Amino acid sequence: MIKPILMQGNEACIAGALAAGMDFFAGYPITPSTEIAELAAERLPARQGRFIQMEDEIASMGAIIGASLTGRKAMTATSGPGFSLKQENIGYAAITEVPCVVVNVQRAGPSTGIPTAPAQGDVMQARWGTHGDHPVIALSPSSVAETFDLTFRCFNLAERFRTPVILLLDEIVGHMREAIVLPAVETLELVHRLRPSGDPAKYIPYDAPLGASAPMADFGSGYPYHVTGLTHDREGFTTAKPSEVEFLIRRLASKIEMNLEEILQWEELQVEDADILLVAYGATARSARAAMKQARGKGIKVGLFRPMTIWPFPEEALRQVAIGKQVIVPEMNLGQLALEIERVVHKDITTVTQVDGEPLKPDKILAAIYNLAGTGKGV
């Protein structure tokens, strides 16, 4: 019988990355993500992997792009201002189609904010932090066990779609400890990027239709090709020709948009008979689940929709679930995802926000539930 292990969220992140085949990590220490870098430094050398502490977050992001170009499965981790510094190179990885994983353990902000306090203030930055239209996949776990699972999935998605993938942790999930059972690595399905196998002289590095990515050759493997952050043609060379630019940008977006069934992941709890629907993610979803149970104990029919894929957002699934229900969105920010949810459900919603550096507790969500249900706390 496999015994549960007491594990921290940040530790589960590294465990999931190693199970996915991570063999390169570059980063810079920053609270509350530092344990991820520390554990990578400890565990990667024992597996013939490489760890490097860079001089800053800009260089860290550049290092994992370079490592991925050589065929490595690469990851970096950061928090707060470090995530801001990575944005330009995240855009570079998006346009050059370099698979990599970026972990952001969110903390209170803006600027230096409160480095040790929880928040969910980087949701929109994960989608629009870098300039221009670009593909984005961002996942958000709510538990230590799910941190392992979704970190593993981040690597698979990055390799499958040749794109940077963001893991949006928060300080609560990153630092909490829970007893979890790690799956046997041999039972996990690993995804590796497609690599070319034909004549190197005939290799076209970006020759793919809408919704797809071309095979990616490792630098040094005999398939030389050009990599640039400028808009480029199928050969990888700079172009400003409108038809080629248009096709490139639309194809980058279509890799995600045309494969939603493969990417999207969410959880529905007691939504079938619900009159009120909570939509919550990350650590706040734990409080929402507790509030849902307490409300149901008072006879109020409440359900929970929890997106694990934040970007792209599972909008069609939410739209169907939200029909005929009042919607409450609790977040540790001023309502970032609430804007997207309101657009999706085509109705006014109730927001429950908190930005004081403290966890958003069930009582605050319950108050919003009681208000919508037309009852008092003494129900």
Side-chain angles (χ1 to χ4, degrees):
M1 181 178 178
I2 302 175
K3 293 185 178 180
I5 303 170
L6 185 64
M7 185 172 282
Q8 185 190 59
N10 284 346
E11 186 179 6
C13 176
I14 279 293
L18 292 173
M22 178 185 71
D23 51 7
F24 184 89
F25 182 100
Y28 187 82
I30 182 169
T31 304
S33 74
T34 298
E35 293 89 352
I36 297 174
E38 290 173 342
L39 290 165
E42 175 187 325
R43 296 177 185 178
L44 270 175
R47 302 164 60 100
Q48 287 71 56
R50 296 290 182 269
F51 169 89
I52 181 168
Q53 179 174 317
M54 301 300 289
E55 65 269 27
D56 56 34
E57 298 289 5
I58 301 172
S60 300
M61 191 66 210
I64 68 167
I65 292 172
S68 183
L69 283 168
T70 70
R72 299 276 184 167
K73 287 189 174 184
M75 184 176 91
T76 187
T78 189
S79 303
F83 192 52
S84 300
L85 289 171
K86 291 185 184 296
Q87 292 302 324
E88 184 178 0
N89 271 338
I90 289 175
Y92 185 88
I95 198 170
T96 56
E97 300 183 75
V98 178
C100 53
V101 175
V102 180
V103 180
N104 176 20
V105 187
Q106 298 167 91
R107 71 190 209 187
S111 189
T112 309
I114 311 175
T116 57
Q120 294 173 313
D122 303 345
V123 173
M124 283 299 172
Q125 188 184 27
R127 179 63 188 93
W128 300 111
T130 194
H131 53 283
D133 288 299
H134 57 280
V136 171
I137 299 176
L139 310 183
S140 175
S142 292
S143 69
V144 174
E146 200 168 80
T147 299
F148 175 94
D149 295 339
L150 293 191
T151 304
F152 183 91
R153 190 162 189 260
C154 281
F155 278 89
N156 279 354
L157 290 170
E159 294 285 308
R160 165 72 175 85
F161 295 105
R162 282 190 62 179
T163 189
V165 177
I166 297 166
L167 184 72
L168 275 179
L169 278 168
D170 53 61
E171 187 276 336
I172 296 172
V173 177
H175 279 161
M176 72 165 56
R177 295 183 185 274
E178 293 181 312
I180 70 170
V181 176
L182 294 178
V185 174
E186 59 271 17
T187 67
L188 300 173
E189 184 178 351
L190 281 172
V191 174
H192 303 287
R193 68 193 68 171
L194 289 176
R195 290 178 166 87
S197 57
D199 182 353
K202 297 180 180 179
Y203 177 55
I204 305 176
Y206 298 102
D207 186 21
L210 291 174
S213 301
M216 181 179 180
D218 300 345
F219 271 27
S221 64
Y223 291 82
Y225 66 101
H226 188 243
V227 178
T228 176
L230 292 164
T231 51
H232 48 268
D233 59 20
R234 296 171 190 260
E235 300 278 353
F237 292 104
T238 302
T239 182
K241 187 176 179 180
S243 61
E244 292 177 338
V245 172
E246 173 100 358
F247 181 79
L248 170 65
I249 301 304
R250 291 195 180 278
R251 185 179 65 78
L252 293 178
S254 72
K255 291 191 301 182
I256 309 304
E257 294 168 355
M258 294 175 65
N259 293 283
L260 293 179
E261 288 187 5
E262 189 176 344
I263 297 170
L264 295 178
Q265 189 175 6
W266 68 90
E267 180 183 38
E268 299 175 11
L269 295 175
Q270 297 185 270
V271 299
E272 293 82 4
D273 67 339
D275 297 317
I276 296 173
L277 182 68
L278 302 175
V279 184
Y281 56 96
T284 301
R286 301 170 72 99
S287 293
R289 187 181 292 111
M292 177 190 73
K293 291 179 180 178
Q294 291 180 52
R296 281 195 169 259
K298 300 288 187 180
I300 305 172
K301 295 177 180 178
V302 178
L304 173 64
F305 183 93
R306 182 171 70 89
M308 295 137 84
T309 310
I310 298 295
W311 305 115
F313 189 77
E315 52 185 86
E316 184 56 33
L318 175 61
R319 187 175 294 118
Q320 294 302 317
V321 170
I323 293 174
K325 299 177 178 64
Q326 299 182 86
V327 178
I328 300 175
V329 183
E331 299 182 85
M332 288 188 289
N333 56 46
L334 291 178
Q336 292 191 17
L337 199 61
L339 295 171
E340 182 74 1
I341 292 165
E342 193 166 50
R343 179 190 69 80
V344 167
V345 300
H346 302 301
K347 66 175 83 174
D348 291 337
I349 65 173
T350 298
T351 59
V352 180
T353 62
Q354 188 160 311
V355 289
D356 61 357
E358 293 293 318
L360 204 166
K361 297 179 181 178
D363 288 351
K364 194 167 184 178
I365 302 172
L366 269 172
I369 293 171
Y370 292 147
N371 184 59
L372 277 187
T375 67
K377 291 186 179 181
V379 170

